[in-house]
Amino acid sequence: SVVGIDGIANWTGKPITEPALKTAGIEIKLLTSEQQVAARKAEHEERLAELKKQGVGEGMIKMAEESFDMFGGGDANSIMSQIKDPNKKLIGVSFWNAQGEEVRSNGSMSSGEEKTFYFNEKLPADTKLKVYVLSDKAVVKVPIQLANLTLP
């Protein structure tokens, strides 16, 4: 099935509370590039505090501080999705403009529960997210029989 989420700008930075997603056990949170940077900075500060608490040397702390500059956040036109899908029901997601045309990304990068989509330009506030969810109706079993098939 397809779950449509209108106006993704209204959903960035917080979990999407769509009943169909909840029923499937899927949790999705979208982050803009600015929100990605803020989240990474908070995580980074937390790690630095833990390193200092553990008594790690100044050289290692300096390296950790500098690493934030390399891995601090997303591209200005990117959208990050944080997805929890313990039941493996998520097939995929896509983005659609107000005219009903799919907005194709320039690519994406995944790491664990996070997937970042890169676009040529910032997505408009009214962009729609379509979430493709595996359901009982999505799978059709068709009996098939092959006989006298010559294989190489």
Side-chain angles (χ1 to χ4, degrees):
S1 62
V2 180
V3 180
I5 311 297
D6 291 323
I8 64 168
N10 298 323
W11 292 106
T12 59
K14 58 186 175 187
I16 295 174
T17 56
E18 179 63 40
L21 295 179
K22 187 172 185 170
T23 299
I26 298 171
E27 293 179 34
I28 299 177
K29 184 177 179 181
L30 300 175
L31 299 175
T32 63
S33 59
E34 296 85 5
Q35 291 166 330
Q36 292 172 53
V37 170
R40 292 280 186 256
K41 187 169 180 70
E43 289 172 12
H44 186 74
E45 293 297 328
E46 201 174 284
R47 284 191 204 117
L48 282 176
E50 184 61 32
L51 289 174
K52 289 176 183 177
K53 184 177 169 184
Q54 293 173 1
V56 173
E58 285 296 316
M60 290 297 289
I61 298 223
K62 179 102 172 117
M63 283 176 45
E65 288 172 341
E66 291 171 354
S67 72
F68 180 74
D69 293 335
M70 294 188 313
F71 305 106
D75 176 88
N77 300 327
S78 67
I79 291 286
M80 177 194 286
S81 59
Q82 296 176 328
I83 300 174
K84 293 181 183 175
D85 180 25
N87 303 323
K88 305 291 186 221
K89 297 277 188 174
L90 180 70
I91 297 170
V93 299
S94 60
F95 299 87
W96 296 75
N97 65 22
Q99 292 74 39
E101 301 163 327
E102 184 174 4
V103 180
R104 299 223 180 251
S105 71
N106 292 333
S108 62
M109 181 178 74
S110 297
S111 176
E113 295 178 340
E114 296 179 349
K115 184 169 187 175
T116 303
F117 298 89
Y118 300 95
F119 297 93
N120 282 334
E121 53 192 40
K122 213 170 197 67
L123 292 176
D126 61 356
T127 299
K128 181 175 189 168
L129 175 70
K130 288 188 180 181
V131 182
Y132 302 91
V133 180
L134 182 65
S135 68
D136 293 337
K137 294 177 185 177
V139 178
V140 177
K141 293 183 180 181
V142 179
I144 184 170
Q145 182 178 1
L146 301 174
N148 300 323
L149 182 64
T150 306
L151 298 174

